[in-house]
Amino acid sequence: MTKIAILGYGVVGSGVAEVLHNSAAMIEARRGIALSVKSILDIRRFPGDPFEHCFVSSFDDIENDLSVRVVVETIGGTGAAYDFTKRALKSGKHVVTSNKELVAEHGPELLELAREKQVNYLFEAAVGGGTPLIYPLAQCLSANRISSVCGILNGTCNYILTRMRDNGFTFDEALLEAQKSGYAEGDPSDDILGHDTARKISILASLVIGRQIFPKHVQTMGINRVTPEHLREAADNGYAIKLIGRVTICESSPPVIYAEPHLLKRGHPLFAVDGVFNAVLITGDVVGDVLFYGKGAGKEPTASAVVSDIVACMRANDPLGGLAWYEIPVRLAQPDSIHSAPHHTFTDGTTLRVM
Ligand code: HSE
């Protein structure tokens, strides 16, 4: 029996516990791995919860528990999550996470530590929620030089933009709904101001380039200044407005990376991606274009990715096949100014890029 410890019992942590409970028999029958939750670390208590008996008060209890093979980190941020992740890896436990902030800031170091200790540090849930992206990039596309990754990477923003356009919601009404549905970050400004998208595109760019791209170097603009009038005017002109994370790589110049609201022409593969859905278009020199589509946020989709990573930990020594990125600085090119790139200027003077 593989025993699992979950750090943080919020939307994602509790989703992981539920999915493990509900799918354990199927996973055992089909994959030959018996999984069960041994401990949950959270400062809160949940009387009457089916996992009430699993709660522990200190990370020491998990670190010193030799029966725990996999630690699931869903605390978020780069404080306690960073410390606990390092301690878990150092004590020879696999770590699976949905924490994009930690992966974007400290991915190389944590992957290296995992390698040293011959365990895995997996983070499929950190980008695209339930949509598989990391494993396909690491394994299925390994024959390719990737020239472009372009995606809708934030479910909350895509949900807000869709509800404002289709249902006449105000920005605040749509945000409240997204928060109630468990899509938004603890601090929703990370979603709305584009930081969450910047972190996710940094992770994908780092994986593709093999060197560390920090989110602070990604030119970032949120959706907070997008109005219902912009959405209407865009639709009248045959465009959708989407928050896009994009990296373009060519051999002759430094990579370009940004996270910005974008106009997409009808017919673009990401044009019709609405609601909480994410989609990422990856272009490789051998395969051409590949499109990944699925729910980018929420309890079950995120838990789906986490539990799959737990299974991957138990099935293989190195499921990402040596994929890593290194802490070597990389020079980025400034994105062309919006006015020199294809763009649309709205009647109120706001200008957005067009694809
Ligand atoms: N707040 C994030 C989103 C959660 O809305 O996409 C998943 O990373």
Side-chain angles (χ1 to χ4, degrees):
M1 177 70 77
T2 300
K3 305 274 187 196
I4 292 148
I6 299 174
L7 312 183
Y9 202 59
V11 173
V12 180
S14 60
V16 171
E18 265 173 51
V19 172
L20 281 170
H21 178 72
N22 295 337
S23 305
M26 180 274 293
I27 292 171
E28 186 170 3
R30 296 184 54 194
R31 302 300 177 123
I33 303 161
L35 301 171
S36 82
V37 178
K38 172 82 185 289
S39 352
I40 298 174
L41 179 68
D42 199 295
I43 47 172
R44 300 163 294 179
R45 286 293 169 267
F46 298 82
D49 187 275
F51 294 93
E52 195 183 359
H53 60 284
C54 296
F55 280 82
V56 296
S57 334
S58 159
F59 182 71
D60 297 351
D61 297 334
I62 293 170
E63 190 177 25
N64 298 326
D65 184 343
L66 296 179
S67 74
V68 170
R69 300 277 312 278
V70 184
V71 172
V72 173
E73 186 273 298
T74 69
I75 299 172
T78 54
Y82 181 40
D83 179 37
F84 295 161
T85 299
K86 284 196 292 190
R87 285 168 61 185
L89 293 170
K90 280 181 185 162
S91 64
K93 301 179 194 306
H94 302 288
V95 176
V96 169
T97 189
S98 58
N99 184 345
K100 48 249 156 187
E101 198 176 347
L102 188 60
V103 177
E105 293 294 338
H106 298 288
E109 177 197 350
L110 297 171
L111 282 165
E112 181 56 34
L113 182 56
R115 236 186 323 274
E116 254 172 49
K117 294 290 169 185
Q118 299 188 321
V119 289
N120 295 309
Y121 180 57
L122 298 183
F123 45 89
E124 187 63 69
V127 187
T131 312
L133 284 166
I134 307 296
Y135 185 79
L137 254 183
Q139 288 288 5
C140 316
L141 297 174
S142 59
N144 289 265
R145 282 180 203 84
I146 305 294
S147 57
S148 162
V149 178
C150 171
I152 295 169
L153 292 165
N154 186 272
T156 300
C157 287
N158 209 36
Y159 186 87
I160 290 172
L161 293 172
T162 306
R163 296 297 261 170
M164 284 171 71
R165 183 196 64 196
D166 293 351
N167 303 80
F169 277 33
T170 63
F171 186 91
D172 290 342
E173 285 167 343
L175 171 61
L176 193 63
E177 242 195 26
Q179 285 175 304
K180 281 191 188 149
S181 309
Y183 302 150
E185 297 300 306
D187 175 0
S189 54
D190 276 358
D191 296 297
I192 295 156
L193 299 178
H195 302 310
D196 182 77
T197 296
R199 285 176 193 133
K200 291 168 175 169
I201 194 67
S202 302
I203 295 171
L204 296 179
S206 300
L207 284 171
V208 165
I209 295 166
R211 292 160 72 172
Q212 174 106 4
I213 311 285
F214 287 100
K216 62 179 179 228
H217 296 142
V218 176
Q219 179 168 301
T220 302
M221 190 199 296
I223 62 161
N224 47 319
R225 277 185 251 150
V226 177
T227 64
E229 291 70 34
H230 292 148
L231 289 157
R232 228 183 341 266
E233 190 179 326
D236 290 346
N237 286 283
Y239 295 119
I241 302 180
K242 302 289 176 190
L243 179 61
I244 294 288
R246 188 179 190 194
V247 57
T248 32
I249 302 145
C250 71
E251 281 181 7
S252 54
S253 55
V256 177
I257 177 165
Y258 61 77
E260 284 180 6
H262 230 286
L263 289 176
L264 302 179
K265 282 193 191 120
R266 190 184 304 282
H268 187 283
L270 304 180
F271 175 89
V273 176
D274 285 337
V276 72
F277 283 89
N278 283 193
V280 180
L281 183 66
I282 299 179
T283 309
D285 62 341
V286 186
V287 72
D289 285 346
V290 187
L291 183 63
F292 296 87
Y293 172 84
K295 283 192 182 145
K299 186 171 179 164
E300 284 91 2
T302 311
S304 160
V306 170
V307 173
S308 304
D309 269 353
I310 296 172
V311 173
C313 279
M314 303 319 299
R315 295 297 312 172
N317 289 336
D318 180 10
L320 296 185
L323 190 86
W325 67 94
Y326 300 96
E327 287 176 88
I328 305 169
V330 49
R331 194 164 71 82
L332 297 175
Q334 280 304 308
D336 289 338
S337 99
I338 288 187
H339 293 278
S340 64
H343 65 275
H344 174 87
T345 302
F346 289 88
T347 42
D348 68 357
T350 304
T351 302
L352 294 180
R353 291 174 202 277
V354 173
M355 266 193 289

